[in-house]
Amino acid sequence: MIQKLPSLEYEYDSLEPIIDEQTMHLHRDKHHQGCLNKLNNALEDYPELDKKTEQLSELIKNPEQLPDEIKTKVLQNGGQFLNHNLFFSILKKDVEINGEILDAINEKFGSFEAFKEKFSDAALSIFGSGWAWLSLDQGNLEISTTPNHENPLMDGKEPILNLDMWEHAYYLKYKNDKKTYVENFFQIINWEKVNELYKIKKEVQ
Ligand code: MN
């Protein structure tokens, strides 16, 4: 059983005006917490799996370990739980991109601007609910999208940055203006954190 959400390393209002405090509260206290509650509920009668939930990403990567009657619930809620863990951990205002991640982005996409355009196009191409991702695939950076709760871990990739494109992530403030939400997201990426993740995940791939 995972008892609590990972701690938030910033205040609920510290991403204003890009992400407003009310959206942060609903998003974390209701949606993220809701996924965790449903995940714990699904695993309640499976103590042998329960002890593995700390390695939840291993379960998500290898769903054949999951009994049929809880498989969908665990993948959906466990997936969304992990997606939000990453998302809330990579947000912070006014952090400049530097270090190995900048070199890798320049090498892969030609320039930071080219990366930004490609990532934004991907995010805006999502039909319905989903996520945009920057992941490591065999050590190489890759932009992708997933529908609903899905996570690149399910395809053997290691995600290091994501953007929530579910309406609950932006609708209170941005309404139907997804384009501005995506544009503004680049002002609140914690590139120090993404750089750390990049270095860790590059080692394990
Ligand atoms: Mn969300």
Side-chain angles (χ1 to χ4, degrees), residues 143-161:
I143 291 170
S144 65
T145 63
T146 57
N148 304 318
H149 61 281
E150 292 178 21
N151 184 306
L153 283 172
M154 295 167 181
D155 297 318
K157 300 169 194 168
E158 290 287 346
I160 59 171
L161 168 73

mmCIF file of all heavy atoms in Angstrom, residues 143-161:
data_model
loop_
_atom_site.group_PDB
_atom_site.id
_atom_site.type_symbol
_atom_site.label_atom_id
_atom_site.label_comp_id
_atom_site.label_asym_id
_atom_site.label_seq_id
_atom_site.Cartn_x
_atom_site.Cartn_y
_atom_site.Cartn_z
ATOM 1 N N ILE A 143 10.447 12.375 -28.346
ATOM 2 C CA ILE A 143 9.167 13.006 -28.008
ATOM 3 C C ILE A 143 8.063 12.050 -28.423
ATOM 4 O O ILE A 143 8.114 11.466 -29.508
ATOM 5 C CB ILE A 143 9.020 14.349 -28.766
ATOM 6 C CG1 ILE A 143 10.011 15.377 -28.214
ATOM 7 C CG2 ILE A 143 7.591 14.873 -28.659
ATOM 8 C CD1 ILE A 143 10.116 16.641 -29.048
ATOM 9 N N SER A 144 7.062 11.879 -27.556
ATOM 10 C CA SER A 144 5.934 11.021 -27.929
ATOM 11 C C SER A 144 4.676 11.494 -27.205
ATOM 12 O O SER A 144 4.737 12.390 -26.359
ATOM 13 C CB SER A 144 6.222 9.559 -27.570
ATOM 14 O OG SER A 144 6.323 9.423 -26.166
ATOM 15 N N THR A 145 3.567 10.877 -27.540
ATOM 16 C CA THR A 145 2.324 11.135 -26.811
ATOM 17 C C THR A 145 1.715 9.794 -26.424
ATOM 18 O O THR A 145 2.000 8.774 -27.063
ATOM 19 C CB THR A 145 1.290 11.903 -27.653
ATOM 20 O OG1 THR A 145 0.920 11.103 -28.781
ATOM 21 C CG2 THR A 145 1.835 13.235 -28.132
ATOM 22 N N THR A 146 0.915 9.812 -25.369
ATOM 23 C CA THR A 146 0.150 8.612 -25.025
ATOM 24 C C THR A 146 -1.291 9.027 -24.740
ATOM 25 O O THR A 146 -1.537 10.138 -24.292
ATOM 26 C CB THR A 146 0.687 7.905 -23.751
ATOM 27 O OG1 THR A 146 0.687 8.841 -22.658
ATOM 28 C CG2 THR A 146 2.078 7.352 -23.958
ATOM 29 N N PRO A 147 -2.244 8.130 -25.014
ATOM 30 C CA PRO A 147 -3.631 8.416 -24.642
ATOM 31 C C PRO A 147 -3.886 8.071 -23.179
ATOM 32 O O PRO A 147 -3.201 7.206 -22.605
ATOM 33 C CB PRO A 147 -4.424 7.486 -25.556
ATOM 34 C CG PRO A 147 -3.510 6.333 -25.814
ATOM 35 C CD PRO A 147 -2.114 6.881 -25.751
ATOM 36 N N ASN A 148 -4.846 8.752 -22.595
ATOM 37 C CA ASN A 148 -5.364 8.398 -21.264
ATOM 38 C C ASN A 148 -4.281 8.266 -20.206
ATOM 39 O O ASN A 148 -3.573 9.208 -19.932
ATOM 40 C CB ASN A 148 -6.215 7.129 -21.377
ATOM 41 C CG ASN A 148 -7.324 7.319 -22.381
ATOM 42 O OD1 ASN A 148 -7.958 8.375 -22.402
ATOM 43 N ND2 ASN A 148 -7.538 6.355 -23.243
ATOM 44 N N HIS A 149 -4.168 7.076 -19.607
ATOM 45 C CA HIS A 149 -3.265 6.835 -18.471
ATOM 46 C C HIS A 149 -1.923 6.283 -18.919
ATOM 47 O O HIS A 149 -1.072 5.996 -18.082
ATOM 48 C CB HIS A 149 -3.912 5.792 -17.557
ATOM 49 C CG HIS A 149 -4.118 4.484 -18.299
ATOM 50 N ND1 HIS A 149 -5.161 4.301 -19.163
ATOM 51 C CD2 HIS A 149 -3.375 3.359 -18.350
ATOM 52 C CE1 HIS A 149 -5.060 3.088 -19.706
ATOM 53 N NE2 HIS A 149 -3.982 2.499 -19.227
ATOM 54 N N GLU A 150 -1.747 6.063 -20.212
ATOM 55 C CA GLU A 150 -0.576 5.278 -20.629
ATOM 56 C C GLU A 150 0.723 6.041 -20.430
ATOM 57 O O GLU A 150 0.749 7.269 -20.419
ATOM 58 C CB GLU A 150 -0.750 4.803 -22.076
ATOM 59 C CG GLU A 150 -1.871 3.779 -22.168
ATOM 60 C CD GLU A 150 -2.134 3.305 -23.578
ATOM 61 O OE1 GLU A 150 -1.257 3.436 -24.445
ATOM 62 O OE2 GLU A 150 -3.257 2.799 -23.807
ATOM 63 N N ASN A 151 1.793 5.264 -20.271
ATOM 64 C CA ASN A 151 3.101 5.793 -19.896
ATOM 65 C C ASN A 151 4.145 5.121 -20.782
ATOM 66 O O ASN A 151 4.036 3.924 -21.052
ATOM 67 C CB ASN A 151 3.329 5.451 -18.404
ATOM 68 C CG ASN A 151 4.611 6.014 -17.854
ATOM 69 O OD1 ASN A 151 5.689 5.795 -18.389
ATOM 70 N ND2 ASN A 151 4.501 6.742 -16.757
ATOM 71 N N PRO A 152 5.163 5.858 -21.235
ATOM 72 C CA PRO A 152 6.193 5.255 -22.093
ATOM 73 C C PRO A 152 6.910 4.063 -21.463
ATOM 74 O O PRO A 152 7.492 3.251 -22.172
ATOM 75 C CB PRO A 152 7.183 6.412 -22.321
ATOM 76 C CG PRO A 152 6.373 7.644 -22.123
ATOM 77 C CD PRO A 152 5.378 7.303 -21.054
ATOM 78 N N LEU A 153 6.844 3.955 -20.119
ATOM 79 C CA LEU A 153 7.405 2.768 -19.452
ATOM 80 C C LEU A 153 6.826 1.492 -20.048
ATOM 81 O O LEU A 153 7.486 0.462 -20.107
ATOM 82 C CB LEU A 153 7.039 2.772 -17.961
ATOM 83 C CG LEU A 153 7.781 3.679 -16.995
ATOM 84 C CD1 LEU A 153 7.087 3.623 -15.637
ATOM 85 C CD2 LEU A 153 9.242 3.257 -16.868
ATOM 86 N N MET A 154 5.552 1.584 -20.453
ATOM 87 C CA MET A 154 4.854 0.416 -20.995
ATOM 88 C C MET A 154 5.479 -0.039 -22.314
ATOM 89 O O MET A 154 5.242 -1.157 -22.758
ATOM 90 C CB MET A 154 3.354 0.738 -21.176
ATOM 91 C CG MET A 154 2.629 1.012 -19.854
ATOM 92 S SD MET A 154 0.983 1.741 -20.084
ATOM 93 C CE MET A 154 0.438 1.954 -18.377
ATOM 94 N N ASP A 155 6.263 0.846 -22.951
ATOM 95 C CA ASP A 155 6.972 0.498 -24.189
ATOM 96 C C ASP A 155 8.478 0.422 -23.967
ATOM 97 O O ASP A 155 9.255 0.541 -24.924
ATOM 98 C CB ASP A 155 6.690 1.536 -25.287
ATOM 99 C CG ASP A 155 5.221 1.571 -25.661
ATOM 100 O OD1 ASP A 155 4.624 0.478 -25.780
ATOM 101 O OD2 ASP A 155 4.676 2.678 -25.831
ATOM 102 N N GLY A 156 8.890 0.257 -22.719
ATOM 103 C CA GLY A 156 10.315 0.077 -22.426
ATOM 104 C C GLY A 156 11.146 1.353 -22.467
ATOM 105 O O GLY A 156 12.370 1.306 -22.503
ATOM 106 N N LYS A 157 10.462 2.511 -22.480
ATOM 107 C CA LYS A 157 11.204 3.782 -22.475
ATOM 108 C C LYS A 157 11.257 4.343 -21.054
ATOM 109 O O LYS A 157 10.520 3.908 -20.181
ATOM 110 C CB LYS A 157 10.519 4.790 -23.392
ATOM 111 C CG LYS A 157 10.433 4.306 -24.835
ATOM 112 C CD LYS A 157 9.520 5.207 -25.638
ATOM 113 C CE LYS A 157 9.157 4.553 -26.963
ATOM 114 N NZ LYS A 157 8.063 5.268 -27.641
ATOM 115 N N GLU A 158 12.133 5.328 -20.851
ATOM 116 C CA GLU A 158 12.264 5.952 -19.530
ATOM 117 C C GLU A 158 11.881 7.424 -19.630
ATOM 118 O O GLU A 158 12.641 8.239 -20.146
ATOM 119 C CB GLU A 158 13.704 5.829 -19.016
ATOM 120 C CG GLU A 158 14.102 4.423 -18.633
ATOM 121 C CD GLU A 158 13.456 3.936 -17.331
ATOM 122 O OE1 GLU A 158 12.906 4.763 -16.585
ATOM 123 O OE2 GLU A 158 13.520 2.718 -17.083
ATOM 124 N N PRO A 159 10.688 7.805 -19.163
ATOM 125 C CA PRO A 159 10.260 9.203 -19.269
ATOM 126 C C PRO A 159 11.011 10.131 -18.308
ATOM 127 O O PRO A 159 11.297 9.748 -17.179
ATOM 128 C CB PRO A 159 8.774 9.145 -18.910
ATOM 129 C CG PRO A 159 8.608 7.907 -18.110
ATOM 130 C CD PRO A 159 9.664 6.933 -18.578
ATOM 131 N N ILE A 160 11.326 11.339 -18.790
ATOM 132 C CA ILE A 160 12.008 12.315 -17.925
ATOM 133 C C ILE A 160 11.252 13.652 -17.842
ATOM 134 O O ILE A 160 11.600 14.511 -17.038
ATOM 135 C CB ILE A 160 13.472 12.567 -18.374
ATOM 136 C CG1 ILE A 160 13.551 13.098 -19.809
ATOM 137 C CG2 ILE A 160 14.295 11.289 -18.244
ATOM 138 C CD1 ILE A 160 14.963 13.565 -20.204
ATOM 139 N N LEU A 161 10.246 13.819 -18.687
ATOM 140 C CA LEU A 161 9.464 15.069 -18.702
ATOM 141 C C LEU A 161 8.103 14.744 -19.308
ATOM 142 O O LEU A 161 8.033 13.994 -20.279
ATOM 143 C CB LEU A 161 10.196 16.108 -19.555
ATOM 144 C CG LEU A 161 9.447 17.386 -19.961
ATOM 145 C CD1 LEU A 161 9.301 18.317 -18.760
ATOM 146 C CD2 LEU A 161 10.187 18.121 -21.074
#
